[in-house]
Amino acid sequence: MIKKWFKNIGPGTLVAAAFIGPGTVTLCTLAGVNFGMNLLWAMLLSIIATIVLQEMAARLGIISQKGLSEVIREEIKSPFFRQFITVLILSAIVIGNASYEAGNISGGILGLETVFGSWSISFGSFTVNVMSLVIGIIAFALLYIGNYKFLERALVALVLLMSVSFLITAIVTKPNLLEVFKGMFIPKFPEKSLLTIIGLIGTTVVPYNLFLHASLVKEKWKTSDDLSLAKKDTIISIVLGGLVSMAIIISAAAINSSEINNAADLAKGLEPLYGSFSKYFLALGLFAAGITSAITAPLAAAYVAKGCLGWKDGLKSKRFRAVWIIILAIGVVFSSIGIKPIEIIKFAQVANGMLLPVVAGILLWIMNKKSVLGNYSNTKLQNFIGLFILTMSIFLGLKSILKVFNVF
């Protein structure tokens, strides 16, 4: 039974690995410290929205046997509009993931440094963090092998490690279960919580995951008979990912301190309260969260470039490898010497803010095309839920753009 379950999990787990990055860990930490259990409902809403959109992406990938960016290129007939969407997608995903990769690697570093301390080498006025090179080498090795099944198994193992680590940390804090359920099912908007709510939803419903999922499912499943397996995989993986995010919020809510600003502080904050074991569980979770995102972000960018530019070759091709190598290298360099590319990250935030409603809208449009999906196009209920998510994504997109320019 367990062996069969392990055989059928895969792409959904990579999606969960992608959205639980260091940014999500830090944001969930701040949500728990500042607002207690009150924002758990926002994470529950995010999980539902993610399941709906990712199921559509998976269904599209299996039935069409094409990635989302490939279908967009084929279905948008207007040359100008097609070119505009292609440029927007490439900018947001490829450049955006390159700028966020430093944060992914830095998250893995936090986990290692919690246990081993800081290791660095100085070259004149430059100081290089050795841990970032270690994580970069691990990510490079896993990606360079270019075998989907091997990559899948490695990421599944890391996600399970991360999940167990954070869930145990939450259990050790002995939360009030009544408060947990109230936080999940009774929406509250504490003062100054709006941006945190937007952030929790925005870091879970991730645009590049839609491209990644549609591209990965066709590596594993080939016919409509596999749709039920893909759906189970999607639901189980994303629910597990959501539980991990909730566990981080619950762990952080147990700490009565205003000095907790990020996930590294959370590790230190838990130690005097619950002993050194919490520190090690959290460190393992942080390391796994950082390294899984450090692998999936370059992989997603390479898949998007492949689809947008019409490349037909596979994971081991020079062009495909060149994209993820460049993104991984940028992340390693920026994280190892401490450079924060603020302007690039601002551009990425704006592009992603614009991209989520655009991609969600195009995905909904494609999911209703009989010429692409035949009898597997969206039902009325799926369209209704999809339109609600689209409306929410437009709101989130506008808020994230206004936030970058300090308008809101």
Side-chain angles (χ1 to χ4, degrees), residues 70-93:
E70 293 170 74
V71 176
I72 289 172
R73 279 181 75 248
E74 291 174 6
E75 293 300 317
I76 297 177
K77 304 304 179 188
S78 164
F80 171 78
F81 190 53
R82 183 170 61 240
Q83 195 168 9
F84 171 75
I85 294 296
T86 300
V87 169
L88 177 62
I89 290 169
L90 279 172
S91 300
I93 303 293

mmCIF file of all heavy atoms in Angstrom, residues 70-93:
data_model
loop_
_atom_site.group_PDB
_atom_site.id
_atom_site.type_symbol
_atom_site.label_atom_id
_atom_site.label_comp_id
_atom_site.label_asym_id
_atom_site.label_seq_id
_atom_site.Cartn_x
_atom_site.Cartn_y
_atom_site.Cartn_z
ATOM 1 N N GLU A 70 3.772 26.317 -23.872
ATOM 2 C CA GLU A 70 3.616 25.826 -25.254
ATOM 3 C C GLU A 70 2.182 26.013 -25.748
ATOM 4 O O GLU A 70 1.953 26.450 -26.883
ATOM 5 C CB GLU A 70 3.968 24.334 -25.324
ATOM 6 C CG GLU A 70 5.432 24.022 -25.058
ATOM 7 C CD GLU A 70 5.658 22.520 -24.890
ATOM 8 O OE1 GLU A 70 5.617 21.816 -25.920
ATOM 9 O OE2 GLU A 70 5.857 22.067 -23.762
ATOM 10 N N VAL A 71 1.209 25.687 -24.884
ATOM 11 C CA VAL A 71 -0.205 25.827 -25.265
ATOM 12 C C VAL A 71 -0.547 27.298 -25.472
ATOM 13 O O VAL A 71 -1.262 27.648 -26.416
ATOM 14 C CB VAL A 71 -1.132 25.213 -24.177
ATOM 15 C CG1 VAL A 71 -2.598 25.438 -24.532
ATOM 16 C CG2 VAL A 71 -0.853 23.722 -24.027
ATOM 17 N N ILE A 72 -0.018 28.176 -24.624
ATOM 18 C CA ILE A 72 -0.267 29.619 -24.784
ATOM 19 C C ILE A 72 0.241 30.101 -26.134
ATOM 20 O O ILE A 72 -0.440 30.833 -26.858
ATOM 21 C CB ILE A 72 0.395 30.412 -23.623
ATOM 22 C CG1 ILE A 72 -0.366 30.161 -22.311
ATOM 23 C CG2 ILE A 72 0.426 31.911 -23.935
ATOM 24 C CD1 ILE A 72 0.315 30.724 -21.076
ATOM 25 N N ARG A 73 1.439 29.674 -26.517
ATOM 26 C CA ARG A 73 2.019 30.067 -27.811
ATOM 27 C C ARG A 73 1.140 29.622 -28.972
ATOM 28 O O ARG A 73 0.967 30.328 -29.959
ATOM 29 C CB ARG A 73 3.417 29.450 -27.993
ATOM 30 C CG ARG A 73 4.518 30.214 -27.290
ATOM 31 C CD ARG A 73 5.870 29.583 -27.521
ATOM 32 N NE ARG A 73 6.370 29.845 -28.850
ATOM 33 C CZ ARG A 73 6.514 28.926 -29.807
ATOM 34 N NH1 ARG A 73 6.173 27.671 -29.584
ATOM 35 N NH2 ARG A 73 6.987 29.254 -30.979
ATOM 36 N N GLU A 74 0.562 28.430 -28.844
ATOM 37 C CA GLU A 74 -0.241 27.866 -29.932
ATOM 38 C C GLU A 74 -1.645 28.445 -29.994
ATOM 39 O O GLU A 74 -2.215 28.606 -31.076
ATOM 40 C CB GLU A 74 -0.326 26.343 -29.785
ATOM 41 C CG GLU A 74 0.999 25.637 -30.043
ATOM 42 C CD GLU A 74 0.926 24.144 -29.752
ATOM 43 O OE1 GLU A 74 -0.185 23.645 -29.462
ATOM 44 O OE2 GLU A 74 1.972 23.471 -29.801
ATOM 45 N N GLU A 75 -2.230 28.765 -28.833
ATOM 46 C CA GLU A 75 -3.641 29.152 -28.786
ATOM 47 C C GLU A 75 -3.886 30.649 -28.956
ATOM 48 O O GLU A 75 -4.969 31.055 -29.338
ATOM 49 C CB GLU A 75 -4.283 28.667 -27.473
ATOM 50 C CG GLU A 75 -4.380 27.155 -27.367
ATOM 51 C CD GLU A 75 -5.204 26.541 -28.484
ATOM 52 O OE1 GLU A 75 -6.266 27.093 -28.818
ATOM 53 O OE2 GLU A 75 -4.777 25.500 -29.033
ATOM 54 N N ILE A 76 -2.897 31.486 -28.614
ATOM 55 C CA ILE A 76 -3.069 32.929 -28.824
ATOM 56 C C ILE A 76 -2.688 33.240 -30.272
ATOM 57 O O ILE A 76 -1.516 33.141 -30.652
ATOM 58 C CB ILE A 76 -2.204 33.748 -27.841
ATOM 59 C CG1 ILE A 76 -2.658 33.470 -26.400
ATOM 60 C CG2 ILE A 76 -2.322 35.240 -28.136
ATOM 61 C CD1 ILE A 76 -1.838 34.167 -25.337
ATOM 62 N N LYS A 77 -3.688 33.613 -31.054
ATOM 63 C CA LYS A 77 -3.475 33.776 -32.506
ATOM 64 C C LYS A 77 -2.899 35.142 -32.876
ATOM 65 O O LYS A 77 -2.206 35.270 -33.883
ATOM 66 C CB LYS A 77 -4.802 33.567 -33.260
ATOM 67 C CG LYS A 77 -5.480 32.209 -32.979
ATOM 68 C CD LYS A 77 -4.581 31.030 -33.286
ATOM 69 C CE LYS A 77 -5.266 29.696 -32.973
ATOM 70 N NZ LYS A 77 -4.342 28.562 -33.099
ATOM 71 N N SER A 78 -3.208 36.183 -32.102
ATOM 72 C CA SER A 78 -2.704 37.533 -32.397
ATOM 73 C C SER A 78 -1.196 37.594 -32.158
ATOM 74 O O SER A 78 -0.735 37.378 -31.028
ATOM 75 C CB SER A 78 -3.402 38.562 -31.500
ATOM 76 O OG SER A 78 -2.695 39.781 -31.511
ATOM 77 N N PRO A 79 -0.405 37.881 -33.196
ATOM 78 C CA PRO A 79 1.058 37.922 -33.039
ATOM 79 C C PRO A 79 1.512 38.918 -31.972
ATOM 80 O O PRO A 79 2.408 38.626 -31.177
ATOM 81 C CB PRO A 79 1.565 38.335 -34.429
ATOM 82 C CG PRO A 79 0.476 37.930 -35.361
ATOM 83 C CD PRO A 79 -0.797 38.099 -34.605
ATOM 84 N N PHE A 80 0.882 40.110 -31.950
ATOM 85 C CA PHE A 80 1.281 41.140 -30.983
ATOM 86 C C PHE A 80 0.988 40.683 -29.559
ATOM 87 O O PHE A 80 1.850 40.761 -28.678
ATOM 88 C CB PHE A 80 0.543 42.454 -31.263
ATOM 89 C CG PHE A 80 0.743 43.487 -30.186
ATOM 90 C CD1 PHE A 80 1.917 44.231 -30.118
ATOM 91 C CD2 PHE A 80 -0.232 43.694 -29.207
ATOM 92 C CE1 PHE A 80 2.114 45.166 -29.104
ATOM 93 C CE2 PHE A 80 -0.039 44.622 -28.187
ATOM 94 C CZ PHE A 80 1.133 45.358 -28.144
ATOM 95 N N PHE A 81 -0.233 40.187 -29.325
ATOM 96 C CA PHE A 81 -0.633 39.755 -27.984
ATOM 97 C C PHE A 81 0.196 38.557 -27.541
ATOM 98 O O PHE A 81 0.621 38.478 -26.382
ATOM 99 C CB PHE A 81 -2.126 39.417 -27.958
ATOM 100 C CG PHE A 81 -2.682 39.203 -26.578
ATOM 101 C CD1 PHE A 81 -2.503 40.160 -25.585
ATOM 102 C CD2 PHE A 81 -3.371 38.036 -26.261
ATOM 103 C CE1 PHE A 81 -3.011 39.968 -24.304
ATOM 104 C CE2 PHE A 81 -3.877 37.830 -24.983
ATOM 105 C CZ PHE A 81 -3.698 38.802 -24.008
ATOM 106 N N ARG A 82 0.467 37.623 -28.477
ATOM 107 C CA ARG A 82 1.279 36.450 -28.160
ATOM 108 C C ARG A 82 2.689 36.864 -27.740
ATOM 109 O O ARG A 82 3.240 36.342 -26.767
ATOM 110 C CB ARG A 82 1.338 35.501 -29.365
ATOM 111 C CG ARG A 82 2.120 34.226 -29.073
ATOM 112 C CD ARG A 82 1.972 33.201 -30.184
ATOM 113 N NE ARG A 82 2.462 33.683 -31.456
ATOM 114 C CZ ARG A 82 1.722 33.811 -32.568
ATOM 115 N NH1 ARG A 82 0.454 33.464 -32.572
ATOM 116 N NH2 ARG A 82 2.242 34.261 -33.690
ATOM 117 N N GLN A 83 3.259 37.826 -28.475
ATOM 118 C CA GLN A 83 4.606 38.290 -28.174
ATOM 119 C C GLN A 83 4.647 39.016 -26.822
ATOM 120 O O GLN A 83 5.567 38.821 -26.023
ATOM 121 C CB GLN A 83 5.099 39.239 -29.279
ATOM 122 C CG GLN A 83 6.593 39.482 -29.238
ATOM 123 C CD GLN A 83 7.097 40.177 -30.495
ATOM 124 O OE1 GLN A 83 6.321 40.622 -31.332
ATOM 125 N NE2 GLN A 83 8.400 40.272 -30.631
ATOM 126 N N PHE A 84 3.603 39.827 -26.561
ATOM 127 C CA PHE A 84 3.523 40.557 -25.292
ATOM 128 C C PHE A 84 3.461 39.589 -24.112
ATOM 129 O O PHE A 84 4.187 39.741 -23.129
ATOM 130 C CB PHE A 84 2.289 41.476 -25.290
ATOM 131 C CG PHE A 84 2.009 42.103 -23.952
ATOM 132 C CD1 PHE A 84 2.786 43.156 -23.490
ATOM 133 C CD2 PHE A 84 0.982 41.624 -23.139
ATOM 134 C CE1 PHE A 84 2.542 43.735 -22.241
ATOM 135 C CE2 PHE A 84 0.727 42.193 -21.898
ATOM 136 C CZ PHE A 84 1.506 43.247 -21.446
ATOM 137 N N ILE A 85 2.591 38.585 -24.206
ATOM 138 C CA ILE A 85 2.437 37.600 -23.127
ATOM 139 C C ILE A 85 3.726 36.800 -22.942
ATOM 140 O O ILE A 85 4.161 36.533 -21.817
ATOM 141 C CB ILE A 85 1.251 36.644 -23.426
ATOM 142 C CG1 ILE A 85 -0.079 37.402 -23.400
ATOM 143 C CG2 ILE A 85 1.218 35.487 -22.434
ATOM 144 C CD1 ILE A 85 -0.451 37.980 -22.052
ATOM 145 N N THR A 86 4.367 36.427 -24.076
ATOM 146 C CA THR A 86 5.618 35.662 -24.010
ATOM 147 C C THR A 86 6.701 36.445 -23.283
ATOM 148 O O THR A 86 7.405 35.910 -22.422
ATOM 149 C CB THR A 86 6.100 35.288 -25.429
ATOM 150 O OG1 THR A 86 5.095 34.502 -26.065
ATOM 151 C CG2 THR A 86 7.400 34.503 -25.389
ATOM 152 N N VAL A 87 6.843 37.729 -23.630
ATOM 153 C CA VAL A 87 7.856 38.584 -22.993
ATOM 154 C C VAL A 87 7.549 38.739 -21.499
ATOM 155 O O VAL A 87 8.450 38.659 -20.656
ATOM 156 C CB VAL A 87 7.931 39.965 -23.682
ATOM 157 C CG1 VAL A 87 8.780 40.944 -22.867
ATOM 158 C CG2 VAL A 87 8.510 39.821 -25.081
ATOM 159 N N LEU A 88 6.272 38.943 -21.161
ATOM 160 C CA LEU A 88 5.876 39.100 -19.760
ATOM 161 C C LEU A 88 6.194 37.834 -18.962
ATOM 162 O O LEU A 88 6.761 37.900 -17.867
ATOM 163 C CB LEU A 88 4.376 39.416 -19.665
ATOM 164 C CG LEU A 88 3.797 39.548 -18.249
ATOM 165 C CD1 LEU A 88 4.455 40.695 -17.498
ATOM 166 C CD2 LEU A 88 2.293 39.755 -18.303
ATOM 167 N N ILE A 89 5.844 36.682 -19.521
ATOM 168 C CA ILE A 89 6.089 35.410 -18.833
ATOM 169 C C ILE A 89 7.587 35.168 -18.659
ATOM 170 O O ILE A 89 8.056 34.832 -17.566
ATOM 171 C CB ILE A 89 5.442 34.239 -19.608
ATOM 172 C CG1 ILE A 89 3.910 34.317 -19.507
ATOM 173 C CG2 ILE A 89 5.919 32.892 -19.072
ATOM 174 C CD1 ILE A 89 3.178 33.384 -20.448
ATOM 175 N N LEU A 90 8.349 35.354 -19.739
ATOM 176 C CA LEU A 90 9.801 35.151 -19.656
ATOM 177 C C LEU A 90 10.439 36.093 -18.637
ATOM 178 O O LEU A 90 11.298 35.693 -17.852
ATOM 179 C CB LEU A 90 10.447 35.361 -21.030
ATOM 180 C CG LEU A 90 10.386 34.181 -22.003
ATOM 181 C CD1 LEU A 90 10.886 34.597 -23.379
ATOM 182 C CD2 LEU A 90 11.217 33.006 -21.484
ATOM 183 N N SER A 91 9.999 37.357 -18.650
ATOM 184 C CA SER A 91 10.558 38.348 -17.721
ATOM 185 C C SER A 91 10.271 37.965 -16.277
ATOM 186 O O SER A 91 11.172 37.935 -15.435
ATOM 187 C CB SER A 91 9.966 39.737 -18.005
ATOM 188 O OG SER A 91 10.255 40.144 -19.312
ATOM 189 N N ALA A 92 8.997 37.682 -16.019
ATOM 190 C CA ALA A 92 8.593 37.402 -14.632
ATOM 191 C C ALA A 92 9.189 36.104 -14.120
ATOM 192 O O ALA A 92 9.655 36.038 -12.978
ATOM 193 C CB ALA A 92 7.072 37.366 -14.534
ATOM 194 N N ILE A 93 9.174 35.068 -14.944
ATOM 195 C CA ILE A 93 9.625 33.749 -14.473
ATOM 196 C C ILE A 93 11.148 33.623 -14.495
ATOM 197 O O ILE A 93 11.761 33.280 -13.488
ATOM 198 C CB ILE A 93 8.999 32.614 -15.309
ATOM 199 C CG1 ILE A 93 7.467 32.693 -15.275
ATOM 200 C CG2 ILE A 93 9.473 31.257 -14.797
ATOM 201 C CD1 ILE A 93 6.825 32.423 -13.946
#
